[in-house]
Every structure is written in C-alpha cells, then in structure tokens.
C-alpha cells in the first residue's frame, strides 16, 4: 500500500470532516477556489476564532491553560489535515503552505506562552498567539485571488 493511500485512509478514519472535504467535486482548472464554505474549513475558522477570544481575554496568567493546549493541538491537527487535502487536490498552493505553517506554529506559540518568565514576555507571547489564530481565520475566509 502506498504511503499516500495509507495516510488518506488514516485521515478518513480520524475525522469525518476530512471525508466530507475530500468528497467535494473537483474544481475547474485555473478557477479561484474558496474553501471557506467546506465543513472542515468552517470548523477550523470556528475553533480558531474561539481560541483567539480566549487568548484575548487572558490578563496575567492564563486560566485553564491545559484545556487550552489540548484545543490548540486539535486545531493544529485540523490545519495539517486541511493542508494535506488541498495538497492532494492540487489547489491553491499559497493556502496549502500557509495552513501547514500555521499547524507547525500553533504548538510553538503555545509553548512560548507557557515558557514566558515575565509578564512582558507573556504579553508578547499571547499577542503573537492571538495574531496567529486571527491569521488562521483570515487566510481561509479571504476571497480567492486569481493566479498572478
């Protein structure tokens, strides 16, 4: 069994949104595509928006940080799934790369908040995490642009 088939099977079994997104009809060649209305991407936007609201509401030491870390890790995994789906479709190279980067950056930004030694370091780390979560929403909901 090829690695691609094994990965696709694992993703299909792990999250029903992946199967829904993968089952979308192919897009006309060269047409700008918006994924914002697909279930997986709607879920990513909702989760990222909710986590951003939590981050923006923290003053001083974050509360329920362990629960937040779990939800952030789940979001990072969804971003990676979205990256893999778009890569498999061969659509929107920029979004594909951005989603992979976000999936890799979320755990790093969460770790930076956890490691922050001073209130100023924590404020900086929280600001960067908030920005990343907002970026996660905006890259998905932005209208698609034609290739340059």
């Amino acid at each position: 069994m090829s690695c691609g088939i094994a990965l696709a099977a694992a993703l299909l079994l792990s999250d029903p949104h992946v199967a829904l997104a993968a089952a979308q009809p192919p897009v006309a060649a060269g047409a700008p595509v918006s994924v914002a209305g697909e279930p997986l991407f709607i879920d990513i936007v909702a989760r990222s928006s909710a986590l951003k609201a939590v981050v923006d509401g923290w003053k001083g030491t974050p509360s329920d940080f362990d629960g937040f870390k779990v939800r952030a890790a789940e979001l990072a995994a969804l971003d990676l799934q979205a990256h893999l789906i778009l890569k498999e479709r061969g659509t929107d190279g920029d979004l594909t790369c951005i989603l992979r980067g976000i999936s890799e950056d979320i755990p790093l930004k969460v770790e930076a908040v956890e490691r922050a030694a001073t209130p100023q370091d924590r404020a900086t780390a929280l600001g960067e995490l908030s920005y990343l979560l907002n970026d996660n929403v905006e890259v998905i909901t932005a209208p698609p642009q034609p290739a340059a």
Side-chain angles (χ1 to χ4, degrees):
M1 178 182 294
S2 77
C3 293
I5 293 172
L7 178 60
L11 289 174
L12 287 171
L13 294 173
S14 66
D15 189 336
H17 293 101
V18 174
L20 289 172
Q24 297 296 314
V27 179
V33 178
S34 174
V35 296
E38 295 180 23
L40 174 63
F41 295 91
I42 291 169
D43 190 24
I44 290 171
V45 167
R47 288 175 187 239
S48 194
S49 297
L51 290 176
K52 182 185 182 314
V54 169
V55 169
D56 291 347
W58 279 334
K59 305 285 188 254
T61 303
S63 59
D64 187 28
F65 195 68
D66 289 336
F68 178 86
K69 285 179 10 182
V70 168
R71 292 189 309 276
E74 291 169 350
L75 175 62
L78 289 175
D79 278 313
L80 184 57
Q81 286 181 353
H83 157 78
L84 293 171
I85 288 169
L86 292 177
K87 184 176 178 184
E88 179 68 26
R89 289 181 190 171
T91 59
D92 199 343
D94 289 342
L95 182 57
T96 302
C97 292
I98 292 168
L99 290 171
R100 180 177 176 160
I102 290 173
S103 75
E104 294 170 350
D105 286 348
I106 288 173
L108 299 175
K109 298 299 182 189
V110 169
E111 183 180 329
V113 171
E114 193 169 34
R115 285 191 337 254
T118 67
Q120 182 179 4
D121 291 342
R122 187 174 300 110
T124 298
L126 287 170
E128 291 176 359
L129 179 57
S130 176
Y131 180 84
L132 180 64
L133 293 167
N134 186 64
D135 194 35
N136 202 13
V137 171
E138 290 183 353
V139 300
I140 291 172
T141 59
Q145 302 297 315

